[in-house]
Structures are given as structure tokens and as C-alpha cells.
Amino acid sequence: MQITAPDARKALPDTLAVRDILGRHILTDGFPIVLDMEGSRGARLRDQVTGRDYIDFFTFYASNPLGMNHPGLAGDSDAAVGFRERLMDAALNKVANSDVYTPHFARFVETFGRVGIPEELPHAFFVSGGALAVENALKVAFDWKVRKNKLKGYSGDRGQIVLHFKEAFHGRSGYTMSLTNTDPNKVAHYPKFDWPRISNPKIRGGDVEEREAAALAEAKQAFIDHPDEIAAILIEPIQGEGGDNHFRPAFLQALRHLADEEEALLVFDEVQTGVGLTGAFWAWQSLGVTPDVIAFGKKTQVCGILAGPRVDEVDDNVFQKSSRINSTWGGNLVDMVRFDRILEVIEAEDLIGNVNRQGAHLMAKLREMESRFDGVTDARGRGLFCAFDLPDTETRNAVRQAAYDDGLMALGCGPRSIRFRPALTITEADLDEGLAILEGALEKTLGA
């Protein structure tokens, strides 16, 4: 029997068949819409089945920096057309960036270096996936600490422990399974290392300084219990999935001092906080605490790490010795080309300035909600990276569902928070439209 190859020119599946086709092989328990890739614009996601638009405070889990079909990418300008030509060129053949270099890669690194790579963290490594970014940050630290210990006379590979925090989310692969501790369902039944996990003195209530002191005491005890074994202190400068938990700069600075005293690297997981949403390109830049390594992803499209000069305290570190950290594709060239153009738009349109302006407006509106509704508490944020609490998980979920039913997509975090992750391009009008929907959902759930 002759087998006929499928027609490569065949159109995409019928919209109504999308979920059925996917459901034959994958769990389709995500949002009920089928995304209209062409019809979605800016802060509006369109359901291709119903034609309905949703205000987007979700941005694909904080990974879409410019909203949908930004004219700087999808428009008719020479810059946009040139970008799409580069994008297609990069997409036709998937290049192993780690060892085969292209002008596309160089253009991206040049733009990233100008707009986003700070002089304090000159070393870069690229990979696909935020969890893999965190893992490679830890590999930098393990390599560094073990080599330090060998110089002290230790034999073997001593220096392979990570100090981390409660309510942290760092990913779902390899080493990160031992560090993520938000939803137990995400790590249950998988093998994990028994690494020290200490309290997270988030800014809640009036006893934060006492809780900071207790957390630092726990951290110092961990170093006593594991002499010369802790390679890194790992923390999200703002814990996202754990509940939008903010820390005082003074606490992060104390971790900086502790890392220096104990010869550990301070690693910031900026996968969610990076690229402007907090009002600075990297969250640490507005917190006044410089880490040794950061992991990045989501809005950067391509993921990876940036590292500073402490890594160079040992010879043959991972940025000097071939193939100590690597992957076949060294990131994804298509993602690099896309982020290259996104960076140009962020720079040209002063989108971080927009974040600070709109963030102030958003926080003012959240304070008003806090005053109006008894169940809305602890409105908090930095830039547009904002959240508030509701009485319990059930209430939070009911508010989210009511908001979705009325045309707003937003995320929960922690046990009872709603978080805001709009695009860097969000306008005051779009914010107000989404917040009006949210207020309606609060009225339905909590009462006026």
C-alpha cells in the first residue's frame, strides 16, 4: 500500500477542533480559550472560538513583555520588516549557538549588552528554560566552591549544597526540584537533595526585623552545620509564585554580607522579576544589592545566567574551561532574534519609564480597593509587579473566576493572593478597564 505524505500546505486545524486534537495526547486543563494569534492585540487576548477579548494581566505567566503583536515587531516599519526577515532566517535552520556562531547571535549579544547586561555581571551563558538557567547558576557556584575548597586542601568534591528559602519557586527539573517548595504537587515523589531551607522574612506585619534576625540566625547555623559545604545562597528578590513576597533591601544586603563572609555565591533568581516589570531592568538594581550570579528567563525569551567577577577568583571556572556548562543549542536563535528586537523597543519607547508611571497608578487603585473592600488586604508591589491578598484560597479562586467570566485574565499566587503581570506597554486606560472588571468580581464575591 502506498503511503501518501501529508500536504505541507495544509491549513491549520479548524478552531473548534483544536482542543479535541490536543486532548488526544495531552492534558488540556489550561485556559478554555483558543488563542487568536492574529486578532489578539496589545493588552487584549482574543478567543478564536467566541471572538471575545480578555484584558491580559497574565502575559503568559509574565513572559510576554510587549503584549500581543506590538507594531515594533508586527508592523510595517523598516525595523519591523527587517526583524521578521531575521526571524525567518533564524527559524529555517536551528543552529548550535554554543559552538557555531552567526551574525544573528552577535547582534543579539550586542543589543543585550547595551540595554540589559550590567557591567557588574559581564559573563553570560544561554540555555532554553528558566529551570535550566537556575541549574546552570548553581553549577557555576558548585564548580567555584569545590575549586575553592581544593585550594584549601580538601580532597574530593566538597561544596555542593544550596541554602534556599521557604515559599520559593525555582523550577521543576533536576536540582530545582530540591529548592521549589510552593505547591507540593509540583515536587512530590521526585528525588530531592536535603539542602537547608530557611524562613523567608517577607514584608508582612510589624515584626519583620525580628523575623529577619531569626532567618539570618537560621542561615548562619546552616553554615555552621555544613562547614565549607554551602556553595550558594539562592533567593528570588521577590518571590512570585510563593505569594509575591517582598524582602527589605536590608535583609538582602545581610545575605550579601553572609555570602562574602562564608565564601558562598549570592544567586538571584530573576526569571520572573527580570526585564523591567519591577521598575528597573533587573529587580536587584532598585534594591541596592548586587548578586554574584542571576538566572533569567520568561520575558527574555531565551534563558540563561549572568555572572560577576567573584567567579574569576578561581582558575578554570565554567566561563573559562570548555564545555563545563553547555547545551547543544546554547539557547534558541529564534528566541535571541526576538528578544534582540524586544530590547530595541524597550529602549526606544522607554518602557521601564512606563512601568514606573503605570505602576504608581496601579498601586493607587489597589490601595483604593483595599480601603473599599474588607476582604482585600496587603496591597503591595514594585513597579507593575503587584499583588493583594484575599481571605482564603476559595475566595481568591472565586474572584479570579468571576473576573475571567467578565473578561479579565489574571493569576493567583501563594495560598490567597492575586498577582498582576501586565505587559510593559500597558496603558492607564487598559489598567482601568481591567481593574473595573476586577472590582466587579470583588463585589460579586465579597459584597459591595
Side-chain angles (χ1 to χ4, degrees):
M1 182 178 70
Q2 184 176 6
I3 298 176
T4 303
D7 184 353
R9 298 166 298 175
K10 181 181 178 181
L12 293 169
D14 181 80
T15 300
L16 295 176
V18 167
R19 295 184 68 86
D20 177 62
I21 292 170
L22 293 174
R24 297 172 197 167
H25 302 286
I26 70 168
L27 178 63
T28 53
D29 62 346
F31 288 101
I33 70 168
V34 173
L35 183 66
D36 185 336
M37 296 283 286
E38 184 177 354
S40 298
R41 285 287 185 276
R44 284 168 171 74
L45 301 181
R46 178 166 295 172
D47 183 356
Q48 196 166 328
V49 176
T50 65
R52 185 180 188 184
D53 286 347
Y54 293 82
I55 296 291
D56 181 16
F57 287 179
F58 150 67
T59 58
F60 308 144
Y61 301 98
S63 69
N64 186 356
L66 304 182
M68 294 297 290
N69 292 305
H70 187 284
L73 281 68
D76 297 326
S77 68
D78 289 345
V81 171
F83 153 69
R84 292 196 299 275
E85 289 174 353
R86 295 194 303 276
L87 193 72
M88 179 57 73
D89 191 37
L92 286 175
N93 299 284
K94 191 165 183 176
V95 176
N97 296 298
S98 55
D99 292 295
V100 180
Y101 310 120
T102 61
H104 295 302
F105 191 3
R107 188 187 197 281
F108 154 66
V109 170
E110 182 177 48
T111 306
F112 195 18
R114 184 181 71 251
V115 182
I117 299 179
E119 62 181 13
E120 298 93 334
L121 303 173
H123 296 296
F125 171 78
F126 303 102
V127 72
S128 294
L132 293 180
V134 174
E135 288 201 349
N136 279 282
L138 298 182
K139 287 166 71 176
V140 170
F142 294 145
D143 176 90
W144 178 84
K145 185 63 175 178
V146 169
R147 291 179 187 276
K148 284 261 184 179
N149 281 334
K150 287 184 181 297
L151 292 174
K152 289 181 178 181
Y154 285 110
S155 60
D157 292 335
R158 187 182 184 91
Q160 299 176 332
I161 289 178
V162 181
L163 178 71
H164 62 289
F165 291 81
K166 295 178 180 177
E167 297 185 302
F169 182 88
H170 295 293
R172 311 192 202 195
S173 66
Y175 297 137
T176 66
M177 299 301 296
S178 302
L179 307 167
T180 289
N181 59 101
T182 48
D183 178 0
N185 180 60
K186 295 177 179 177
V187 297
H189 311 312
Y190 303 132
K192 293 175 280 292
F193 292 102
D194 185 20
W195 287 336
R197 178 176 299 161
I198 68 172
S199 301
N200 56 330
K202 54 194 176 188
I203 303 174
R204 305 278 176 91
D207 61 343
V208 64
E209 292 186 24
E210 290 84 354
R211 288 185 286 109
E212 287 175 351
L216 288 170
E218 292 175 37
K220 291 175 181 177
Q221 187 61 50
F223 279 99
I224 292 170
D225 294 341
H226 305 280
D228 289 325
E229 292 185 278
I230 296 176
I233 300 174
L234 174 66
I235 191 169
E236 302 153 87
I238 307 170
Q239 291 180 323
E241 179 168 308
D244 266 34
N245 302 322
H246 294 248
F247 302 104
R248 293 196 317 145
F251 176 69
L252 297 175
Q253 189 62 59
L255 295 181
R256 171 73 277 168
H257 292 319
L258 183 61
D260 292 338
E261 291 169 0
E262 298 290 347
E263 279 204 322
L265 295 184
L266 180 62
V267 180
F268 281 178
D269 179 347
E270 289 240 25
V271 169
Q272 190 166 148
T273 54
V275 193
L277 195 63
T278 66
F281 198 93
W282 305 109
W284 65 265
Q285 292 171 312
S286 63
L287 292 165
V289 181
T290 304
D292 297 306
V293 186
I294 66 168
F296 59 81
K298 290 193 182 290
K299 284 183 178 60
T300 57
Q301 314 292 285
V302 63
C303 306
I305 59 176
L306 301 175
R310 281 190 84 203
V311 174
D312 296 318
E313 292 173 355
V314 299
D315 293 332
D316 286 340
N317 64 63
V318 301
F319 295 103
Q320 296 174 353
K321 192 173 180 64
S322 179
S323 207
R324 285 291 290 149
I325 54 173
N326 206 355
S327 74
T328 297
W329 288 302
N332 183 308
L333 194 60
V334 173
D335 293 334
M336 291 174 176
V337 171
R338 187 189 309 104
F339 188 45
D340 182 356
R341 182 62 187 143
I342 288 168
L343 285 165
E344 291 180 330
V345 172
I346 289 172
E347 182 181 42
E349 298 188 3
D350 185 27
L351 292 185
I352 294 179
N354 185 64
V355 166
N356 285 297
R357 292 187 294 273
Q358 302 307 332
H361 179 71
L362 174 57
M363 278 305 304
K365 290 289 187 178
L366 295 185
R367 298 292 186 203
E368 290 176 10
M369 290 185 193
E370 199 173 27
S371 299
R372 180 181 171 192
F373 297 99
D374 289 340
V376 175
T377 58
D378 199 26
R380 57 198 182 276
R382 184 176 284 273
L384 284 166
F385 197 106
C386 297
F388 65 78
D389 287 350
L390 288 162
D392 50 48
T393 303
E394 183 180 1
T395 303
R396 188 269 308 281
N397 292 346
V399 169
R400 275 194 66 216
Q401 185 61 52
Y404 179 83
D405 293 341
D406 289 337
L408 172 68
M409 296 180 74
L411 292 171
C413 62
R416 58 193 183 99
S417 300
I418 287 181
R419 55 177 153 168
F420 296 81
R421 300 293 188 267
L424 309 180
T425 53
I426 196 79
T427 65
E428 185 174 312
D430 287 333
L431 278 175
D432 286 346
E433 185 176 346
L435 291 169
I437 294 171
L438 183 59
E439 284 199 59
L442 289 167
E443 289 173 358
K444 292 176 184 177
T445 308
L446 301 175

